[in-house]
Amino acid sequence: MADNFLEKHREDYEARKAAWLRSKRYLPKQKTSVPKPEDESL
């Protein structure tokens, strides 16, 4: 594989990974907490 196949695919992977991480960073965080009921016997 003298045509740098692996190096080209690695560069493409790194670019896609960087773009994904950039887009993920700006997503609003979701709240997963469940409000507790006032009467805990429920």
Side-chain angles (χ1 to χ4, degrees):
M1 303 220 114
D3 60 353
N4 296 328
F5 176 81
L6 294 176
E7 288 81 1
K8 289 177 185 174
H9 280 274
R10 180 67 180 203
E11 290 172 4
D12 291 342
Y13 164 75
E14 292 293 339
R16 284 186 282 122
K17 180 180 175 185
W20 179 78
L21 287 173
R22 277 195 306 272
S23 69
K24 183 179 178 186
R25 183 182 307 159
Y26 296 110
L27 290 176
K29 294 187 178 181
Q30 297 176 350
K31 293 183 180 180
T32 58
S33 64
V34 178
K36 291 185 178 181
E38 300 221 359
D39 183 12
E40 295 200 10
S41 65
L42 293 175

